[in-house]
């Protein structure tokens, strides 16, 4: 594969399923979930590229999965599978593990794909911005790990002031964390640990 293949996550982050240079044919499945309470559909946008944010990558297609389990955010489990054939046809499918709802698309080698020059430019850009991209990816991973830790804390506390504080932190993660620094995220993680004994796994995400 000339470029990595993946999908867009909340905030425009790229989640890679098939890495650049993987021999074909190949297939990879990863599990995802919802970002909103009682969300019953998921948009699956497919990209190729090496940057951690999809704005620097090439969009290949998208589809919607309707009928996702109606539950609190983070609870539904949706499997996304990328299968790349020997003739470079990419089949992307998504399936809710509880309801069985599914959808898929096929992307041919000549549909929305890049020229050799475009591929070389994107690889060069990824190398040029590697340090900044690594810092960005580290912050995204830490933010996701912090969110998981907050959900773990919420599962252990009854409704009340402590739960309200956790809801406030979740709201901050949803609306303000994108512009926050890694230091800001780590400070809030420290407060979470002090208040609830829940540690943030910095390698998560």
């Amino acid at each position: 594969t000339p470029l990595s293949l993946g999908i867009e996550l909340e905030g425009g982050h790229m989640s890679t399923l098939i890495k650049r240079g993987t021999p074909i044919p190949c297939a990879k499945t990863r599990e995802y979930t919802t970002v909103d309470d009682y969300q019953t559909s998921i948009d699956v946008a497919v990209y190729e590229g090496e940057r951690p944010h999809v704005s620097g990558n090439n969009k290949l297609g998208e589809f919607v999965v309707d009928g996702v389990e109606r539950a609190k955010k983070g609870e539904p489990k949706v499997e996304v599978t990328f299968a790349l054939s020997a003739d470079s046809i990419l089949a992307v499918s998504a399936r809710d593990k509880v309801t069985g709802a599914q959808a898929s698309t096929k992307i041919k080698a000549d549909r929305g794909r890049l020229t050799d020059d475009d591929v070389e430019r994107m690889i060069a850009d990824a190398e040029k911005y590697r340090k900044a991209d690594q810092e960005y990816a580290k912050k995204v991973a830490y933010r996701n790990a912090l969110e998981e830790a907050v959900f773990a804390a919420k599962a252990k506390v009854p409704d009340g002031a402590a739960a309200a504080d956790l809801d406030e932190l979740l709201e901050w993660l949803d609306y303000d964390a994108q512009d926050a620094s890694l230091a800001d995220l780590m400070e809030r993680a420290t407060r979470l640990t002090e208040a609830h004994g829940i540690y943030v796994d910095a390698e998560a995400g």
Side-chain angles (χ1 to χ4, degrees):
T1 54
L3 292 169
S4 297
L5 299 165
I7 64 172
E8 179 181 6
L9 300 184
E10 182 76 0
H13 314 309
M14 170 87 160
S15 176
T16 298
L17 282 91
I18 298 177
K19 293 183 178 181
R20 177 167 68 95
T22 299
I24 59 174
C26 58
K28 174 71 174 179
T29 298
R30 292 188 68 176
E31 189 176 281
Y32 299 92
T33 188
T34 52
V35 296
D36 294 313
D37 289 341
Y38 310 119
Q39 179 180 339
T40 57
S41 65
I42 290 181
D43 295 321
V44 181
V46 182
Y47 284 82
E48 62 179 349
E50 303 308 310
R51 306 294 300 280
H53 195 280
V54 297
S55 61
N57 297 330
N58 180 48
K59 187 174 184 179
L60 296 174
E62 64 182 318
F63 61 94
V64 177
V65 184
D66 290 314
V68 172
E69 179 189 9
R70 190 176 186 276
K72 288 282 191 177
K73 66 179 179 180
E75 293 181 4
K77 293 177 173 57
V78 178
E79 286 185 338
V80 175
T81 298
F82 275 37
L84 189 60
S85 69
D87 50 359
S88 296
I89 295 177
L90 175 63
V92 182
S93 62
R95 178 181 178 276
D96 186 293
K97 294 178 71 174
V98 172
T99 68
Q102 58 186 325
S104 62
T105 188
K106 282 190 176 182
I107 300 166
K108 295 183 178 180
D110 58 350
R111 192 177 110 195
R113 306 305 278 270
L114 301 168
T115 65
D116 290 344
D117 287 344
D118 288 332
V119 170
E120 289 179 9
R121 175 185 54 77
M122 291 181 74
I123 293 173
D125 282 348
E127 189 61 38
K128 179 180 179 181
Y129 299 111
R130 180 178 297 278
K131 185 175 181 180
D133 283 350
Q134 287 174 339
E135 290 300 312
Y136 172 82
K138 185 177 180 180
K139 192 181 87 167
V140 169
Y142 201 93
R143 180 248 175 242
N144 292 341
L146 177 55
E147 184 177 57
E148 289 178 8
V150 175
F151 280 122
K154 275 178 65 68
K156 295 183 177 182
V157 300
D159 291 337
D165 286 343
L166 292 171
D167 286 335
E168 184 177 325
L169 180 50
L170 283 175
E171 185 173 342
W172 181 82
L173 286 169
D174 282 340
Y175 296 104
D176 301 311
Q178 190 166 338
D179 297 322
S181 66
L182 180 60
D184 290 334
L185 291 164
M186 295 178 74
E187 179 184 347
R188 288 174 186 265
T190 299
R191 282 189 239 158
L192 179 70
T193 300
E194 291 172 349
H196 301 280
I198 301 289
Y199 290 85
V200 175
D201 179 4
E203 299 301 318

